[in-house]
Structures are given as C-alpha cells and as structure tokens.
C-alpha cells in the first residue's frame, strides 16, 4: 500500500484532492482522512460519479474545481503579507 497520509504530512505546498462519494472502489472517508493529514493548505472537492466514470459532465466538474482552486491560490499569493 502507498503511504499517502504519511507523505501528505511532509508536503510543503498547497494540496488539491478530488474525490467522489459515489466511488465504489475507494471510499470518500479515504479522501477526508487524506485532507486531515495535510499540514499545508488543502482543499477537498467532491465530485459526482463512480470510480471509472469519465463523462463530459464530470470533466467539466473537475475543470471547474481546478480553476476554483487555482483562483484561491492566486488570491492567497496576492494577499498582503503578515510579516
């Protein structure tokens, strides 16, 4: 097994997790625990669909989630520093 949570704890950059509650192979709680393991800013975006459902509406949802996340990072980078 891959030590995901252990590795996430050592990551020093923002993290984006995309997962579906409808995933029949990997439970959504896995994504929630991964988010909790992050020591850097971490966003979990819930998707629709099962594990292997790459339809066009899901791809739009993934693209929107990534764009939203990138916008969050851009606002964070442009925020006044507290130093």
């Amino acid at each position: 097994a891959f030590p995901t949570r252990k590795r996430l704890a050592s990551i020093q950059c923002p993290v984006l997790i995309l997962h579906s509650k409808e995933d029949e192979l990997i439970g959504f709680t896995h994504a929630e625990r991964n988010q909790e393991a992050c020591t850097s800013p971490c966003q979990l975006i819930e998707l629709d669909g099962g594990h292997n459902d790459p339809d066009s509406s899901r791809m739009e949802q993934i693209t929107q989630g990534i764009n939203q996340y990138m916008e969050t990072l851009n606002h964070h980078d442009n925020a006044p520093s507290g130093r």
Side-chain angles (χ1 to χ4, degrees):
F2 189 79
T4 304
R5 285 185 288 284
K6 181 178 178 183
R7 300 255 173 111
L8 284 169
S10 66
I11 291 177
Q12 299 298 311
C13 64
V15 175
L16 173 62
I17 299 171
L18 303 168
H19 202 84
S20 173
K21 287 187 176 179
E22 300 168 33
D23 190 323
E24 62 281 353
L25 296 178
I26 301 170
F28 194 76
T29 56
H30 182 77
E32 292 171 320
R33 284 181 287 179
N34 286 341
Q35 183 181 29
E36 290 170 5
C38 291
T39 55
S40 294
C42 182
Q43 184 173 351
L44 170 59
I45 295 178
E46 181 182 340
L47 303 175
D48 296 326
H51 190 79
N52 292 311
D53 294 338
D55 62 22
S56 62
S57 64
R58 188 168 185 196
M59 292 308 298
E60 289 176 28
Q61 192 179 31
I62 290 169
T63 301
Q64 283 180 335
I66 292 170
N67 288 339
Q68 181 182 49
Y69 178 71
M70 295 303 293
E71 187 66 28
T72 301
L73 292 179
N74 287 335
H75 285 300
H76 178 72
D77 288 342
N78 294 325
S81 175
R83 295 183 226 173

